[in-house]
């Protein structure tokens, strides 16, 4: 078998694998919505290994947005529904680096020390709320 045929066959295998993974991700996460006892949940696929979940607690109005990708995960929580992120949780999952990869930031105690974290979180939170707007009031 020539090198060109080997490269082509490896390319087809990888293309098939990533196509299958992407298809599964979109099937399980794209435009999915359901309700639990007191929470409405909506999911959207973002890419090959990435998706976003919006959860609205119907009893207290808290909004939680989780962004999950291949090795990273972050979550924003708006406890009172005012549009500002009250808690940011980030997890970086690089398996080649030892030690803790997660960090929680609370607006009440960490805003002055980490203002950029909350600026980015507020911006992404507002963008995701706009993105999910058609699904929230169904």
């Amino acid at each position: 078998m020539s090198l060109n045929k080997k490269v082509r066959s490896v390319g087809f295998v990888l293309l098939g694998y990533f196509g299958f993974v992407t298809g599964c991700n979109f099937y399980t996460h794209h435009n999915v919505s359901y309700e639990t006892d007191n929470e409405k949940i909506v999911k959207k696929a973002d890419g090959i290994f990435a998706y976003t979940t919006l959860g609205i607690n119907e009893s207290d109005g808290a909004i939680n947005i989780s962004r999950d990708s291949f090795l990273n995960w972050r979550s924003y929580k708006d406890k009172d529904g005012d549009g500002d992120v009250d808690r940011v949780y980030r997890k970086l999952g690089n398996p080649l680096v030892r030690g803790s990869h997660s960090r929680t930031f609370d607006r009440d105690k960490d805003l002055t020390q980490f203002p950029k974290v909350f600026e980015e979180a507020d911006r992404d939170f507002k963008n995701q709320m706009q993105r999910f707007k058609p699904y929230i009031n169904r």
Side-chain angles (χ1 to χ4, degrees):
M1 185 181 267
S2 70
L3 180 62
N4 191 20
K5 287 184 181 182
K6 287 182 185 179
V7 169
R8 193 176 314 152
S9 63
V10 168
F12 283 130
V13 168
L14 288 175
L15 183 63
Y17 171 75
F18 286 115
F20 175 76
V21 170
T22 302
C24 289
N25 186 37
F26 273 77
Y27 178 75
T28 57
H29 297 117
H30 195 60
N31 295 339
V32 174
S33 64
Y34 56 93
E35 293 187 28
T36 62
D37 290 338
N38 66 342
E39 189 173 30
K40 181 171 185 166
I41 298 172
V42 182
K43 296 182 180 185
K44 287 181 128 337
D46 297 329
I48 295 175
F49 295 108
Y51 63 94
T52 302
T53 303
L54 170 90
I56 301 174
N57 189 316
E58 294 173 353
S59 62
D60 64 3
I63 300 169
N64 189 41
I65 294 180
S66 300
R67 311 279 320 265
D68 194 341
S69 62
F70 179 58
L71 293 174
N72 299 314
W73 183 80
R74 60 193 181 279
S75 174
Y76 313 122
K77 185 165 190 158
D78 177 5
K79 296 178 188 177
D80 49 9
D82 65 354
D84 290 330
V85 175
D86 297 310
R87 176 174 288 148
V88 177
Y89 180 76
R90 298 188 312 191
K91 181 176 182 186
L92 306 174
N94 187 344
L96 303 176
V97 178
R98 293 175 45 175
S100 175
H101 304 297
S102 62
R103 181 86 192 259
T104 302
F105 302 91
D106 286 310
R107 184 175 288 273
D108 294 338
K109 64 179 184 174
D110 295 322
L111 179 61
T112 56
Q113 189 175 1
F114 302 102
K116 191 164 185 111
V117 168
F118 288 96
E119 288 172 14
E120 292 173 2
D122 286 339
R123 183 174 39 254
D124 192 26
F125 183 84
K126 285 175 179 58
N127 288 339
Q128 296 309 315
M129 290 300 289
Q130 281 297 107
R131 181 178 172 210
F132 281 94
K133 191 174 184 175
Y135 301 94
I136 293 173
N137 297 323
R138 283 188 180 183

